[in-house]
């Protein structure tokens, strides 16, 4: 997803009790839930350093980039997606997703 940084599978984060969990897998599960069984359409904005396509994506009426940041499972890139910075700040303040622990 263009302009967001989500943890990779196998990356660990701390929960409220300080226990480590695979936050990359949790972020992937949150994205899968947002998509459900609907198709995904993306407007591509180039490629990352690994050659993967980067896009602003929708699934039905859901802006996946924004929704993943709003749920707290991705960080906004202030350079490429400045409109998502306040969305991330709200998720942090509400302690959603990655922001529930340390």
């Amino acid at each position: 997803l263009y302009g967001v940084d989500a943890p990779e599978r196998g990356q660990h984060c701390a929960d409220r009790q300080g226990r480590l969990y695979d936050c990359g897998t949790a972020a992937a599960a949150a994205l899968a839930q947002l998509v459900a069984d609907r198709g995904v359409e993306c407007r591509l904005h180039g490629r990352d350093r690994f050659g993967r396509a980067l896009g602003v994506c929708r699934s039905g009426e859901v802006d996946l980039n924004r929704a993943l940041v709003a749920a707290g499972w991705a960080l906004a890139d202030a350079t490429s997606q400045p409109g998502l910075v306040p969305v991330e700040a709200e998720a942090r303040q509400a302690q959603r997703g990655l922001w529930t622990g340390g």
Side-chain angles (χ1 to χ4, degrees):
L1 297 173
Y2 176 75
V4 302
D5 184 19
E8 302 290 329
R9 289 182 195 263
Q11 185 173 340
H12 290 91
C13 300
D15 66 12
R16 281 191 172 98
Q17 291 76 35
R19 296 178 301 226
L20 294 180
Y21 71 100
D22 184 338
C23 52
T25 296
L31 180 60
Q33 187 174 20
L34 288 168
V35 170
D37 288 327
R38 296 184 304 265
V40 174
E41 293 183 17
C42 299
R43 264 184 307 124
L44 298 183
H45 290 270
R47 298 194 174 270
D48 67 9
R49 67 179 189 267
F50 302 108
R52 298 177 293 201
L54 295 172
V56 175
C57 301
R58 299 187 72 75
S59 181
E61 296 299 314
V62 178
D63 176 332
L64 297 174
N65 302 54
R66 177 177 288 278
L68 202 59
V69 172
W73 292 112
L75 288 72
D77 179 347
T79 303
S80 59
Q81 288 278 36
L84 294 181
V85 172
V87 176
E88 178 187 325
E90 183 181 326
R92 282 180 188 243
Q93 185 172 4
Q95 296 183 325
R96 292 191 292 260
L98 299 170
W99 313 117
T100 60

